Amino acid sequence: MSEMRPKKSVDAETPLCVLGIETSCDETGVAVYDSRRGLLAHALHSQVALHGEYGGVVPELASRDHVRRVLPLVRQVMGEAGISGDDLDGVAFTAGPGLLGALLVGASVARSMAWGWGVPAVAVHHMEGHLLAPLLEAPAPAFPFVALLVSGGHTLLVDVRGLGQYRILGESLDDAAGEAFDKTAKLLGLGYPGGPALARLAEQGDPGRFRFPRPMTDRPGLAFSFSGLKTRALTTLRDGPQDAQLDADVARAFEDAVVDTLVIKCRRALQAVEARRLVVAGGVGANRRLRAALAEMVAEEGGQVFYPRIEFCTDNGAMIALAGALRLAAGTRCGLEIPARARWSLEELMPV
């Protein structure tokens, strides 16, 4: 069977209206982005309550919940945007990396809708979506820039020269920063997701009581390692003076160590590629102390730092719709296959 001929021709000069669907993990995100009018509507359903009692994401439950949520969210968002399928120029979806079952839900729905509406489907890399999310804001960063992608599943420093022109400068050798936040929060009895709760507890902590190491900053390079900080928190909680202030002081020491490590590595990355623009995306990018420290460092380097709005730091459909529109304008589209990849390096993407 051959591909259905799209009802609309699309080229780089055509204003595009794209539906974006994100289902890579534990959030169902849907959005409509118009290349001329901007973001028209977006909605997000979080599965935090669903997975909270298990202390982490249960893949099968995540996939089933995406099945329940994605079509109602599509109807909601298209209604809020005031459009129908006839108004769309493409449907974008997260094809990876992520939980394979969850990815297949969004990919199957998106590919089917694109077929039914006679428009192209665009498979989007999840981390490219995060990387491009600050382009939804004003002012938007111009290429080239260094991107810090920091979340529960990934910690990457990327040299970004243009759309699809990505070179990974450094990544975590073990736990991602957000994963380390969640695991340390669990040690403190803070539940799931633990990152925001740990940050709130750290506000009450004494920054001078404990000092945790800044991993891999005593040697050259841009790689990260955060698993040792979780172990340091565990031993401090076990062996430290048992008082009412202990948990807050450990949370503060942990957060300070992660923040300082990220700032040191970002400074090195900016200097290594002689860049003046830093883009920060991913859930940990919403951390207040990290934002303040990065702003100070980038100012010292004579540069600028860019973020998506707080609601777009975590997984969302808006970043997928935007990335899909940019890819579609550059001629990218998928065939009749339903692609989904649990693992997928940014460096495998084709430049445009």
Side-chain angles (χ1 to χ4, degrees):
M1 182 183 293
S2 62
E3 171 70 286
M4 175 184 285
R5 185 181 301 277
K7 292 185 291 188
K8 303 178 183 179
S9 61
V10 174
D11 58 45
E13 305 301 321
T14 303
L16 299 175
C17 184
V18 174
L19 175 70
I21 297 175
E22 154 63 25
T23 63
S24 66
C25 189
D26 60 343
E27 287 161 320
T28 312
V30 178
V32 174
Y33 176 81
D34 186 283
S35 60
R36 180 179 51 199
R37 296 180 289 166
L39 186 63
L40 302 185
H42 66 94
L44 182 75
H45 171 75
S46 173
Q47 299 178 4
V48 165
L50 177 65
H51 301 291
E53 65 178 294
Y54 303 100
V57 177
V58 181
E60 178 63 22
L61 294 181
S63 300
R64 292 180 181 184
D65 200 57
H66 288 310
V67 171
R68 286 191 292 267
R69 305 290 181 175
V70 65
L71 286 177
L73 284 177
V74 168
R75 288 192 288 267
Q76 174 188 332
V77 165
M78 291 182 67
E80 292 174 358
I83 65 168
S84 68
D86 290 336
D87 300 306
L88 289 172
D89 299 293
V91 181
F93 60 93
T94 304
L99 301 176
L100 191 58
L103 291 167
L104 282 169
V105 174
S108 300
V109 170
R111 193 64 199 80
S112 299
M113 290 190 298
W115 171 263
W117 286 325
V119 297
V122 183
V124 173
H125 191 292
H126 180 73
M127 299 312 293
E128 182 174 57
H130 276 302
L131 184 152
L132 297 173
L135 298 180
L136 291 163
E137 313 302 336
F143 299 119
F145 54 77
V146 168
L148 170 67
L149 304 179
V150 57
S151 66
H154 305 272
T155 302
L156 298 173
L157 278 166
V158 186
D159 180 19
V160 179
R161 294 289 154 178
L163 184 63
Q165 300 175 44
Y166 310 132
R167 179 169 63 98
I168 295 176
L169 302 171
E171 58 189 319
S172 182
L173 303 178
D174 40 57
D175 291 351
E179 183 181 6
F181 262 99
D182 285 341
K183 288 180 177 179
T184 303
K186 190 172 184 178
L187 295 175
L188 292 165
L190 297 178
Y192 173 84
L198 187 148
R200 289 191 295 271
L201 181 61
E203 294 288 343
Q204 307 167 31
D206 177 1
R209 185 176 182 187
F210 303 115
R211 178 177 173 80
F212 288 5
R214 277 54 177 163
M216 301 188 72
T217 60
D218 59 348
R219 69 199 78 173
L222 294 170
F224 300 93
S225 174
F226 294 108
S227 64
L229 291 178
K230 175 198 65 180
T231 304
R232 182 64 174 268
L234 174 63
T235 57
T236 305
L237 288 167
R238 184 188 63 202
D239 303 333
Q242 301 300 307
D243 55 54
Q245 187 63 24
L246 179 63
D247 285 2
D249 292 345
V250 167
R252 179 60 184 269
F254 172 85
E255 183 182 53
D256 284 349
V258 173
V259 167
D260 286 353
T261 300
L262 291 172
V263 170
I264 290 168
K265 298 291 180 143
C266 285
R267 188 193 296 271
R268 288 183 185 176
L270 289 170
Q271 293 173 347
V273 301
E274 299 182 344
R276 290 293 177 266
R277 287 181 289 272
L278 176 68
V279 160
V280 183
V284 181
N287 181 278
R288 183 191 61 81
R289 191 164 281 116
L290 176 62
R291 287 191 171 217
L294 285 174
E296 181 179 353
M297 179 275 290
V298 172
E300 292 171 357
E301 294 293 318
Q304 295 175 278
V305 60
F306 299 86
Y307 303 90
R309 68 196 76 169
I310 293 293
E311 63 188 314
F312 293 157
C313 284
T314 55
D315 296 349
N316 62 87
M319 67 183 191
I320 302 304
L322 169 65
L326 294 174
R327 284 275 171 184
L328 184 60
T332 302
R333 63 210 59 207
C334 64
L336 291 177
E337 74 278 8
I338 300 176
R341 299 178 62 177
R343 297 183 180 275
W344 189 7
S345 171
L346 269 172
E347 292 182 326
E348 295 178 33
L349 291 177
M350 293 294 294
V352 299

